[in-house]
């Protein structure tokens, strides 16, 4: 049971069924009548008394069970307790009732005095209730005088810790005495979880505990700020009634005008004052807009009509003076930037009235609007009668501005915004005066006071209004840079103020809560500080700084008309180039997709780093020959060596040929079909076929083979094995994912296993010309489309289906290597079927589907490849890190055999290759490749899969430098002709 959970039936029973009455108004011993002579309290009298329930704390104040439990009367008590509990009176015997009244009826004047003090306390200090950790250290409730500084408050808290606390009840049943003389007992019934509107944290007292432990209250959880004592009091303690005179109760107000612990009635009352304040604000906003327009017209119009010096300028431009007097101030206030004179405001650079008032209108119409609006509200609040309706509404707007209007900020935020505007405009004015000391554009403005006026107008105008009082092109180059920067940051002050004072959606707008909530003394950075640090992390600011310094140092050459090539824009380009050059030490993989040498160099670097993962060729490590170390599975070793076969094919680099051939042949197995007995538990149909496809690439590319066993024989042997496993028991055909029943996944028919078999059959058909392979390819295609693993309408390729359910449902995950393995198989069948083949259309459809699903993860990463199922959520596993390698590998290969698809493929792959190259900028060597190519730079991941994917994406750009995959006829390979072929089963 908690303090807030009242027991209405037992509320007045007190301890052991006896009522508890809190005495009020002085010393309890003095006011308490003789208990032996008083009349007994009747039940109806007791019901009329004001009582307090101690049901929730009776564990603490229960009657001592033995003399040893009785408090020592000689104990020094720092706080005089004016509360007498029922169990502290003499215990009656048996069923005897109390023979005395322990309650002294307070007179009406005391009631009135108490209630009046609740409404209008004479003591203007604030009752500070310590936090849980402060309370555990012995800090007591205290009255904090107004305007107390932080050092005084800290000293006060230190002394409070030294004093300690002896009474638990004093903390919870406390009230500031009207005279300010200390803590007075409450009179009457009290909800012990609220004192004067302060909602306390619920207690978690334990029996025998001297000091209660305070449980954290979620309703009061809030981020802490650096505002010190005053700010923390505002968020944790009820303010006096001068802070909320528009409410009939004392609210607990947290950060950004958050009201805690409201009842339905209080919500209604709060909504009422808020609605009234919004109505008043509506009138003020309309009046603001209209009145400042009229102010500008009232000043500008008579001035232009009566001053012929300036009026003649308007006349000479063929404009009406009246219209100029109306249009110009409106343009300034609304920051439109238009004028009726063709040279903006240059003709008026010596006119004090339009420049001075115009600068004011420009500021209050844009960045200074929140400051001016609050100043107007504050001024009117000071002038209207105190405690009137308007006074309350204006006060509410001042106290809780962001509950009412987006661009109305609290006092501190408004001052912050004001001084930021002063700083920005002051910096621009200073640069205008100092940097143009020798510039005729400025020095021609005399007297000097007009230069200051023009500089001020130009500073406030450039950032928002766009009006010019001088020719900006003739100003010092550094001034132009400073104006450029100021225009870029013009929205920052207001944007930051809006976000740091947001009321309703703090987290969505990036308000920073304290990460050290459990440490009271920890200071978290403000939103402004966090924003500044985040901005300073961008290279753009250092480019701006460099450009500003160059503009100052090289101003003479930039302004020299005899050196037209040395311009401010040219220096900007040079700075960007220098920054990129400096960054090249970090991004070691530099790629030019139009330069074959650049492509080869990039591929060479990545291939070298990938092969460092392979140690099976090292002396003394023959047991791991052809194998990658853990955590890489056997199949990925075969896939990696397939990438190295591709590397030789595209680049012509023979450095790794011997190692690669040795590794492939080491896994060929005694039966020459990649059925390695040692890999029994990792051997699935997809694992075996990846090694077979590597051997198939070696055959088609005529990769050097030191063995008498040809590459194509290895691939054909795997085909024979797989065709013999075609399973019609379940699902009317298809290949299981795993080969052996003991392996997990044996009851699953996967797209990668069947797609691998489909591609292998298609490639063998093209290589050998044997129609048996074509028949198997078509049979496999018909089965996967009938089951639904591949949609012949949408060309989605799904992951697989369980054969225990007879493949009646399909796992709808789409992996890139499934799309890739089917597109290249279709391309091979299309290549041997003729120009009008339906397979060519299907190949094109696979490419379009792949472009839709596996490219362009975000709008700013168009044509960048990604793994759709896991990459954006950063949950790809070791296998999946390599899947993009096969998409790149077989897209390039498809473009080789279907020439009309080369354009669409290269469009995707050029962008992808650049993205992959820029991701190769991590690790200790500064060139390790990552997974998420759509991010800026390395994403922190590394491994064989990441290196292989980047390698395949880049080296395939050299497809125009190589010939098409060979066939047995074109290569003179007769090794397969004598081999018996499998028939269709």
């Amino acid at each position: 049971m908690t303090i807030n959970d009242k027991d209405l039936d037992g509320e007045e029973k007190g301890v052991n069924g006896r009522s508890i009455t809190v005495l009020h108004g002085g010393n309890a011993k003095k006011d308490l009548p003789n208990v032996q002579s008083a009349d007994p309290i009747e039940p109806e009298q007791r019901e009329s008394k004001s009582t307090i329930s101690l049901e929730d704390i009776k564990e603490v104040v229960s009657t001592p069970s033995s003399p040893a439990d009785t408090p020592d009367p000689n104990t020094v008590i720092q706080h005089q307790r004016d509360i007498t509990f029922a169990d502290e009176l003499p215990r009656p015997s048996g069923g005897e009732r109390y023979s005395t009244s322990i309650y002294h009826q307070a007179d009406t004047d005391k009631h009135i005095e108490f209630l009046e003090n609740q409404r209008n306390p004479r003591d203007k200090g604030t009752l500070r209730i310590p936090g849980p950790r402060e309370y555990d250290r012995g800090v007591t409730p205290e009255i904090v005088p107004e305007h107390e500084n932080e050092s005084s408050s800290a000293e006060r808290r230190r002394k409070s810790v030294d004093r300690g606390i002896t009474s638990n009840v004093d903390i919870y049943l406390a009230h500031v005495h009207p005279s300010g003389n200390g803590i007075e007992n409450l009179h009457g019934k009290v909800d012990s979880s609220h004192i004067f509107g302060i909602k306390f944290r619920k207690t978690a007292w334990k029996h025998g505990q001297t000091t209660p432990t305070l449980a954290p209250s979620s309703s009061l959880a809030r981020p802490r700020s650096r505002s010190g004592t005053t700010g923390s009091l505002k968020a944790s303690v009820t303010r006096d009634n001068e802070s909320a005179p528009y409410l009939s109760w004392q609210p607990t107000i947290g950060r950004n005008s958050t009201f805690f612990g409201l009842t339905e009635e209080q919500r209604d009352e709060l909504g009422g004052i808020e609605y009234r304040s919004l109505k008043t604000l509506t009138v003020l906003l309309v009046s603001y807009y209209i009145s400042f327009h009229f102010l500008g017209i009232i000043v500008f119009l008579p001035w232009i009509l009566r001053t012929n010096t300036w009026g003649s300028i308007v006349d000479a431009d063929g404009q009406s003076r009246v219209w100029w007097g109306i249009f110009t101030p409106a343009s300034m206030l609304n920051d439109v930037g238009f004028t009726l004179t063709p040279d903006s405001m240059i003709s008026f650079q010596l006119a004090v009235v339009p420049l001075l008032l115009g600068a004011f209108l420009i500021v209050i119409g844009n960045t200074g609007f929140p400051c001016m609006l609050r100043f107007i509200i504050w001024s009117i609040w000071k002038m209207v009668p105190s405690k009137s309706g308007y006074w309350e509404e204006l006060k509410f707007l001042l106290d809780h501005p962001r509950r009412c209007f987006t661009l109305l900020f609290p006092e501190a935020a408004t001052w912050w915004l004001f001084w930021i505007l002063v700083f920005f405009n002051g910096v621009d004015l200073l640069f205008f005066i100092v940097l143009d000391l020798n510039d005729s554009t400025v020095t021609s403005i005399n007297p000097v006071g007009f230069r200051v006026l023009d500089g001020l107008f130009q500073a406030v105008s450039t950032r928002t209004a766009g009006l010019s009082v001088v020719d900006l092109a003739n100003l010092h180059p550094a001034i132009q840079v400073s104006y450029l920067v100021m225009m870029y940051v013009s929205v920052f002050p207001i944007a930051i103020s809006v976000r740091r004072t947001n009321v309703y959606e703090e987290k969505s707008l990036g308000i920073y809560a304290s990460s050290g909530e459990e440490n009271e003394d920890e200071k978290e950075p403000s939103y402004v500080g966090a924003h500044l640090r985040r901005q300073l992390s961008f290279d753009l600011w250092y480019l701006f700084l460099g450009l500003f310094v160059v503009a100052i140092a090289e101003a003479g050459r930039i302004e020299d008309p005899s050196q037209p090539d040395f311009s401010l824009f040219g220096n900007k380009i040079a700075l960007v180039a220098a920054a990129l050059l400096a960054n090249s030490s970090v991004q070691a993989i530099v790629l030019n997709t139009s330069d074959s040498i650049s492509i080869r160099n990039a591929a060479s670097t990545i291939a070298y780093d990938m092969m460092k993962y392979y140690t099976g060729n090292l002396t003394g490590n023959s047991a791991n020959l052809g194998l990658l170390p853990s955590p890489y599975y056997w199949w990925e070793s075969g896939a990696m060596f397939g990438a190295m076969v591709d590397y030789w094919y595209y680049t012509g680099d023979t450095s790794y040929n011997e190692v690669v051939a040795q590794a492939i042949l080491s896994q060929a197995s005694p039966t020459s079909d990649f059925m390695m007995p040692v890999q029994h538990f990792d051997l699935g149909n997809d694992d075996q076929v990846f090694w077979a496809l590597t051997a198939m690439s070696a055959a088609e590319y005529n990769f050097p083979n030191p063995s008498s066993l040809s590459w194509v024989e290895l691939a054909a042997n795997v085909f024979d094995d797989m065709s013999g496993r075609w399973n019609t028991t379940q699902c009317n055909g298809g290949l299981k994912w795993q080969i052996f029943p003991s392996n997990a996944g044996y009851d699953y028919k996967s797209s990668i296993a069947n797609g691998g078999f489909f591609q292998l059959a298609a490639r063998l058909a093209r290589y050998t010309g044997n129609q048996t392979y074509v028949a198997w390819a078509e049979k496999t295609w018909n089965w996967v489309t009938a089951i639904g693993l591949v949609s012949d309408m949408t060309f989605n390729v799904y992951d697989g289906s369980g054969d225990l359910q007879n493949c009646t449902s399909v796992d709808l995950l789409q992996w890139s290597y499934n799309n890739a393995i089917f597109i290249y198989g279709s391309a091979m069948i299309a290549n041997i079927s003729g120009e009008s083949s339906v397979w060519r259309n299907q190949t094109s459809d696979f490419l379009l589907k792949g472009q839709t699903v596996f490219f362009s993860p975000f709008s700013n990463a168009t044509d960048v490849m990604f793994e759709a199922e896991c990459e954006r959520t950063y949950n790809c596993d070791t296998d999946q890190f390599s899947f993009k390698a096969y998409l790149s590998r077989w897209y390039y290969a498809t473009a080789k055999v279907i020439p009309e698809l080369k354009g669409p493929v290269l469009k995707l792959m050029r962008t992808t290759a650049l993205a992959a190259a820029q991701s190769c900028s991590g690790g200790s060597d500064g060139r390790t490749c990552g997974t998420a190519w759509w991010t800026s730079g390395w994403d922190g991941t590394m491994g064989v899969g990441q290196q292989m994917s980047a390698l395949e994406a880049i080296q395939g750009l050299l497809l125009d430098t190589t010939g098409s995959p060979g066939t047995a006829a074109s290569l003179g390979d007769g090794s397969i002709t004598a081999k018996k072929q499998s028939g269709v089963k």
Side-chain angles (χ1 to χ4, degrees), residues 65 497 501 512 639 654 743 852 969:
S65 59
S497 297
T501 60
Y512 286 74
T654 61
N743 289 355
T852 302

Side-chain angles (χ1 to χ4, degrees), residues 570-591:
N571 279 283
K572 187 189 303 182
I573 298 300
L575 281 171
V576 174
L580 292 176
L581 182 62
N583 194 44
S584 65
S585 62
V586 176
Q587 182 177 317
I589 306 299
V590 179
L591 177 65

Side-chain angles (χ1 to χ4, degrees), residues 98 134 136 175 214 318 320 344 394 401 454 476 576 578-579 582 606 623 644 669 705 726 740 872 874 876 878 885 933:
Y98 282 112
E134 290 182 314
D136 291 341
H175 164 56
L214 300 183
S320 166
S344 190
L394 295 170
D454 289 350
H476 192 283
V576 174
I606 297 172
M644 294 307 296
S669 77
N705 186 355
W726 188 263
F740 302 107
R872 284 178 293 194
Y874 297 97
C876 297
T878 302
W933 298 341

Side-chain angles (χ1 to χ4, degrees), residues 24-224:
H24 209 16
N27 188 291
K29 293 181 179 179
K30 178 187 70 175
D31 294 338
L32 182 64
N34 190 318
V35 296
Q36 300 299 326
S37 61
D39 296 330
I41 303 174
E42 295 301 323
E44 58 273 12
Q45 290 178 294
R46 188 180 305 122
E47 291 174 0
S48 65
K49 307 297 183 185
S50 296
T51 62
I52 178 169
S53 172
L54 297 178
E55 189 69 15
D56 296 309
I57 59 175
K58 63 183 180 180
E59 292 276 357
V60 177
V61 298
S62 59
T63 305
S65 59
S66 66
D69 297 329
T70 305
D72 186 356
N74 298 322
T75 301
V76 178
I77 300 176
Q78 288 86 345
H79 297 281
Q80 179 62 42
R81 193 182 70 191
D82 293 336
I83 301 175
T84 300
F85 296 104
D87 62 346
E88 294 177 347
L89 295 176
R91 183 183 297 274
S93 60
E96 179 186 356
R97 301 172 62 87
Y98 282 112
S99 60
T100 181
S101 171
I102 64 172
Y103 177 72
H104 178 68
Q105 177 66 46
D107 56 29
T108 304
D109 292 339
K110 286 186 177 291
H111 285 290
I112 295 174
E113 178 186 9
F114 175 76
L115 293 174
E116 182 63 27
N117 185 67
Q118 280 189 310
R119 292 282 186 172
N120 300 288
R122 292 182 286 278
D123 186 272
K124 298 303 181 184
T126 307
L127 177 61
R128 183 182 186 276
I129 302 299
R133 291 174 181 81
E134 290 182 314
Y135 177 74
D136 291 341
R137 297 195 296 266
V139 180
T140 61
E142 57 183 343
I143 302 170
V144 180
E146 291 183 352
H147 311 299
E148 179 179 48
N149 57 34
E150 181 65 28
S151 60
S152 300
S153 178
E155 178 65 17
R156 182 185 298 273
R157 289 195 297 271
R158 185 189 66 77
K159 291 180 179 179
S160 180
V161 172
D162 295 339
R163 289 196 305 266
I165 295 179
T166 59
S167 174
N168 297 327
V169 181
D170 287 341
I171 298 174
Y172 294 95
L173 309 179
H175 164 56
V176 181
H177 193 279
S179 63
N181 293 327
I183 299 177
E184 173 185 324
N185 296 325
L186 290 177
H187 176 73
K189 185 183 295 185
V190 179
D191 180 354
S192 58
S193 67
H194 292 77
I195 303 296
F196 258 41
I198 303 170
K199 188 171 184 178
F200 289 85
R201 298 170 186 260
K202 295 181 180 180
T203 60
W205 292 4
K206 297 179 180 179
H207 182 67
Q209 199 173 353
T210 303
T211 304
T213 301
L214 300 183
S217 171
S218 59
S219 64
L220 289 179
R222 62 190 182 281
R224 293 180 174 87

